[in-house]
Amino acid sequence: MTDCERPSGVGIIAIDIYFPAQYVDQLDLEKFDGVDEGKYTIGLGQKRMGIATDREDIHALCLTVVNNLMDKAGIAWKDIGRLEVGTETIIDKSKSIKTVLLQLWDKYDPNGERDMEGIDTINACYGGTSALFNAVNWIESSAWDGRYALVVMGDIAIYGPGNGRPTSGAGAVAMIIGPDAPFALERGTRSTYAENAYDFYKPELHREYPYIDGHLSVSCYLKALDRCYSLFCSKSEKRVSDVQRHSLKSMDYMLFHCPYVKLVQKSLARLGYLDFTRADSSNEHPDLESFRGLKTEESYGNRDLDKVIGSIFKSDYKCKTESSTLVSSHVGNMYTASLYACLCSLILHQKSSDLAGKRLGMFSYGSGLVASMFALRATENVAAIEKMAKILSHVPRRLETRIQRSAEFFHEALDYRDKTAHQGSFIPKASLEELSPGTWYLVSVDEKHRRKYERRV
């Protein structure tokens, strides 16, 4: 294949999401935890949170979402030439989740050659984006053999007792990547920022709970957003012949990594504020002039600034971002899958005709830290977007038919998972009746920590 034959329009051809069949209401958590009413529902912007029982570890989540997507996408298992996984939920320090997923190929493509590149990528919530970039780079490279790539990302987010626990959650997303995609990655504008930070990390390999500095984590997130956006704008402006200034107006939709909805609201407003600071002068937002000389470090956590920009850019949030947060507000944090759960939500809640031809900004953040901003260009082919939406059509009903659990059940489930997640000679205790048909689940862990899975029919 020559350079002139390189594929174009490489991006997301199909996407599906999976989340557990049980949830806890954030209102119940507020009451149980004895916090002020609205702390989680208004302060965090969350409504419900998914709960993964001991039947669903990270392997089970990924097995389920891959099987479900491949069942619906109409692509043969043998036509997957690269399999990439992004996660920070680690079961084994050596064996990858990718190798566990290959049992699906044993079932659906038993005579396959298993000529399939790719492996797991780990860095907090950023691993899914890195997996996506790897898949796209492969298809655009001389190594591509004409087949599709499959990208899987998922996590079980749990925290010890305290302020972080209401931002827990669980879920997984799978995407098929190929050329002439309904949502193609824009070339030449992708930006990345990375540095060494201890805002969130998991040094105790025998435990599930992270160390987290909440205030530092938010500052790191916003700092990475600033840096990525500045570079993204610069690259975008170089691609426009008339040197038009890039701004939020250049994006039809703007999606963010979503640990909780309130941070996304703050992030969208932050981009509006950055547009203001990048301009030499502006008559558009006179209420912001008093903040023009504010140092960057002083702007993080500045409540007066947050209040003003939150009000000014409220309509932008509603138009460009709000519909992308609806799934996350009911499922919670999915770490690596979070940004792409927002994409699923957008496809579901916007008319396909309204998405056609649009430009989507995407911001991905992973603590520690690595972050990227990139753009997706939606096809003008409405039917192709409608096909993607059809794959996701199960989501609204699934959200509403989940089993509600008490706040006490939620706390006990997280603590039990922390104690047993790395245990050998283990038999899960949760009932299979709580799992939806088609869900893969953990059967047992033997004395050598070998795990056995089956799919509920």
Side-chain angles (χ1 to χ4, degrees):
M1 183 179 293
T2 64
D3 287 341
C4 62
E5 295 174 320
R6 289 279 141 240
S8 61
V10 179
I12 303 168
I13 288 178
I15 186 170
D16 203 1
I17 185 172
Y18 173 78
F19 42 84
Q22 301 180 76
Y23 76 92
V24 61
D25 195 292
Q26 291 279 8
L27 285 170
D28 292 342
L29 272 181
E30 288 176 346
K31 296 175 183 176
F32 184 86
D33 293 345
V35 300
D36 293 340
E37 183 178 347
K39 181 169 183 176
Y40 305 157
T41 51
I42 299 174
L44 296 177
Q46 298 299 114
K47 294 180 175 65
R48 298 174 175 179
M49 181 171 18
I51 306 172
T53 69
D54 59 357
R55 286 288 181 184
E56 294 189 277
D57 59 13
I58 185 58
H59 292 166
L61 294 182
C62 291
L63 284 163
T64 299
V65 75
V66 170
N67 213 153
N68 288 350
L69 176 60
M70 292 297 289
D71 283 348
K72 292 180 280 189
I75 291 174
W77 294 82
K78 64 181 178 62
D79 290 335
I80 301 297
R82 188 177 186 94
L83 176 57
E84 290 273 349
V85 179
T87 190
E88 64 169 89
T89 306
I90 308 303
I91 288 177
D92 191 288
K93 292 184 288 184
S94 176
K95 183 175 173 59
S96 69
I97 293 175
K98 176 201 172 164
T99 60
V100 176
L101 293 177
L102 290 177
Q103 63 190 283
L104 295 173
W105 275 260
D106 294 339
K107 180 177 180 180
Y108 295 101
D109 184 25
N111 299 317
E113 295 179 346
R114 301 295 179 274
D115 179 15
M116 195 184 306
E117 294 186 8
I119 207 67
D120 295 6
T121 302
I122 300 168
N123 187 86
C125 303
Y126 185 80
T129 294
S130 182
L132 171 62
F133 290 172
N134 289 344
V136 171
N137 292 345
W138 174 69
I139 293 174
E140 292 182 342
S141 77
S142 61
W144 187 51
D145 62 6
R147 292 183 292 167
Y148 297 100
L150 180 61
V151 173
V152 192
M153 52 198 73
D155 280 295
I156 299 170
I158 69 172
Y159 296 82
N163 293 334
R165 182 159 279 192
T167 64
S168 300
V173 168
M175 302 184 293
I176 294 173
I177 311 301
D180 302 317
F183 289 92
L185 271 74
E186 182 178 272
R187 292 181 175 178
T189 57
R190 192 164 84 199
S191 64
T192 294
Y193 175 75
E195 71 170 66
N196 180 35
Y198 282 95
D199 56 326
F200 171 108
Y201 54 108
K202 298 177 180 177
E204 297 180 311
L205 301 181
H206 62 286
R207 297 204 68 193
E208 295 288 278
Y209 296 151
Y211 284 82
I212 180 168
D213 183 330
H215 292 294
L216 177 60
S217 186
V218 172
S219 295
C220 286
Y221 183 105
L222 296 177
K223 178 181 180 181
L225 177 65
D226 287 5
R227 300 294 180 88
C228 286
Y229 187 61
S230 176
L231 186 55
F232 180 84
C233 289
S234 177
K235 290 184 176 182
S236 295
E237 289 164 2
K238 289 179 181 178
R239 289 172 56 86
V240 179
S241 57
D242 61 359
V243 199
Q244 178 180 343
R245 181 175 292 279
H246 186 281
S247 70
L248 267 179
K249 295 178 181 178
S250 308
M251 293 292 190
D252 298 293
Y253 298 96
M254 189 69 218
L255 283 61
F256 302 83
H257 168 57
C258 183
Y260 53 92
V261 172
K262 197 70 173 182
L263 183 56
V264 171
Q265 295 174 351
K266 180 181 289 189
S267 297
L268 189 282
R270 179 85 187 175
L271 295 189
Y273 169 68
L274 293 177
D275 286 342
F276 171 80
T277 61
R278 291 176 68 241
D280 295 331
S281 62
S282 174
N283 297 319
E284 190 173 1
H285 303 301
D287 291 347
L288 282 177
E289 283 298 336
S290 62
F291 298 99
R292 183 175 290 278
L294 194 66
K295 293 181 179 179
T296 301
E297 293 75 14
E298 296 173 347
S299 67
Y300 303 138
N302 187 307
R303 294 185 178 182
D304 292 333
L305 174 62
D306 288 344
K307 183 177 180 180
V308 172
I309 62 177
S311 176
I312 291 175
F313 299 106
K314 185 176 181 179
S315 60
D316 291 278
Y317 174 76
K318 286 188 172 296
C319 293
K320 298 177 183 291
T321 304
E322 186 175 48
S323 61
S324 72
T325 66
L326 298 178
V327 170
S328 294
S329 69
H330 284 83
V331 177
N333 199 348
M334 290 167 268
Y335 287 165
T336 53
S338 171
L339 174 61
Y340 305 94
C342 291
L343 178 59
C344 292
S345 184
L346 185 75
I347 294 171
L348 275 171
H349 292 96
Q350 295 290 343
K351 293 180 180 179
S352 297
S353 56
D354 290 339
L355 290 174
K358 297 300 192 293
R359 188 183 189 215
L360 284 60
M362 309 283 284
F363 175 68
S364 178
Y365 176 82
S367 293
L369 61 86
V370 185
S372 289
M373 185 172 287
F374 60 103
L376 297 176
R377 291 278 186 173
T379 179
E380 297 281 0
N381 185 345
V382 175
I385 301 175
E386 288 177 341
K387 184 177 179 181
M388 296 181 75
K390 185 177 180 180
I391 291 176
L392 292 165
S393 62
H394 65 97
V395 173
R397 175 172 171 76
R398 179 168 174 78
L399 283 172
E400 292 306 315
T401 57
R402 291 177 298 169
I403 303 167
Q404 183 173 358
R405 295 299 188 185
S406 67
E408 183 177 13
F409 178 95
F410 164 71
H411 284 290
E412 290 176 351
L414 263 60
D415 291 337
Y416 182 72
R417 175 177 291 280
D418 181 52
K419 293 176 182 177
T420 62
H422 302 280
Q423 182 177 314
S425 300
F426 176 68
I427 303 294
K429 66 179 184 178
S431 170
L432 298 180
E433 297 301 317
E434 299 164 347
L435 302 176
S436 305
T439 302
W440 281 83
Y441 62 90
L442 178 64
V443 175
S444 62
V445 184
D446 71 13
E447 69 281 358
K448 292 185 177 181
H449 293 266
R450 293 173 297 192
R451 293 175 177 243
K452 180 181 179 182
Y453 299 89
E454 291 182 3
R455 193 185 194 195
R456 190 179 178 216
V457 296

